[in-house]
Amino acid sequence: SGYTFGTYVVDQKYYMRYLQNQLKLFNIQFIQKKINSIDEIYANDSSIDVVINCTGLGSHSVNNDSTMYPIRGQVLRVRAPWIKSVWFFGSSYIIPNIDNVVIGGTAQKGDWNTNASLEDTERIISRVSEIFPSIRDAPIESVWAGLRPGRTPLRLDSSVITHPDSEKSLLLIHCYGHGGSGITLAMGCAQDILINHIIPYIKEKI
């Protein structure tokens, strides 16, 4: 037994590029740098009013959050243009993207290994091909393993803190620990941050 429904599939490679381009239209600057703690962002810059910590699994170290844990996921991208629908069955799934089809997967809690495993690859192909035999003949384009940011529950909260070098306050918001549902929950979390944290903070300061 099962169920079907119509919905959207987000191809993250293109979606993230789209979001970045949209932000650039508003002159948003992107700065890539390594930090060891969240307070490095605002410690020497009293002009900052709001910090939103979305460091995911990085919060294990930069925010000293010991409740964070990795959920290792391995997926394959295969050339299978005949697959047109998303399928979830047991721990396996098939998700058609624009350029290829993603098949998976694994959800190995506490595993920090980001190297692809041949054993996992064979297991994924075996499970998926039990339902869709044609997948066994689909050319593999890539094999990838990554770490989902696990936390129970995810963290979405805020606090008002004082700049270390001034009396000025700033709003520090934490939003991380979404596991494998980051894209799914992104818009809802963004709305929550705006409506329940940033807007009340601004109104209080006016």
Side-chain angles (χ1 to χ4, degrees):
S1 64
Y3 56 89
T4 63
F5 58 93
T7 187
Y8 298 100
V9 173
V10 174
D11 193 327
Q12 295 183 38
K13 178 175 66 174
Y14 295 100
Y15 180 60
M16 297 304 289
R17 190 182 305 159
Y18 163 78
L19 291 180
Q20 188 175 43
N21 289 335
Q22 290 295 109
L23 291 170
K24 286 180 177 178
L25 294 176
F26 293 93
N27 297 317
I28 302 298
Q29 291 184 316
F30 290 84
I31 301 171
Q32 184 174 352
K33 62 182 293 186
K34 180 178 176 61
I35 62 171
N36 296 307
S37 63
I38 291 297
D39 57 11
E40 289 181 27
I41 297 172
Y42 55 82
N44 299 311
D45 189 349
S46 60
S47 68
I48 294 176
D49 297 304
V50 179
V51 173
I52 305 175
N53 169 28
C54 301
T55 54
L57 192 57
S59 284
H60 184 274
S61 56
V62 300
N63 202 45
N64 295 315
D65 190 340
S66 60
T67 65
M68 289 295 299
Y69 55 87
I71 306 173
R72 181 181 178 276
Q74 180 165 316
V75 299
L76 286 69
R77 291 183 178 272
V78 301
R79 178 64 63 179
W82 58 89
I83 300 292
K84 303 297 184 182
S85 301
V86 176
W87 296 85
F88 287 88
F89 43 97
S91 59
S92 302
Y93 51 84
I94 301 177
I95 305 175
N97 280 186
I98 294 173
D99 301 321
N100 45 42
V101 176
V102 176
I103 65 172
T106 65
Q108 297 152 338
K109 183 177 177 179
D111 189 340
W112 290 87
N113 179 25
T114 57
N115 295 317
S117 160
L118 178 59
E119 182 180 350
D120 285 335
T121 295
E122 293 174 345
R123 187 181 299 116
I124 291 168
I125 293 173
S126 176
R127 288 199 306 248
V128 172
S129 62
E130 285 181 8
I131 307 299
F132 296 89
S134 62
I135 287 295
R136 188 171 290 280
D137 298 321
I140 298 175
E141 295 191 343
S142 65
V143 181
W144 181 84
L147 305 178
R148 306 179 184 100
R151 191 178 191 274
T152 307
L154 69 83
R155 184 175 185 184
L156 203 173
D157 57 44
S158 65
S159 60
V160 177
I161 62 176
T162 303
H163 278 281
D165 59 346
S166 72
E167 294 300 317
K168 182 182 176 182
S169 65
L170 69 87
L171 180 65
L172 176 60
I173 303 169
H174 297 286
C175 182
Y176 58 81
H178 299 73
S181 303
I183 296 295
T184 305
L185 300 176
M187 289 299 178
C189 287
Q191 186 177 48
D192 188 302
I193 288 171
L194 181 63
I195 294 174
N196 297 320
H197 299 270
I198 294 179
I199 290 177
Y201 175 71
I202 292 174
K203 286 182 175 179
E204 198 172 283
K205 292 177 69 69
I206 294 176

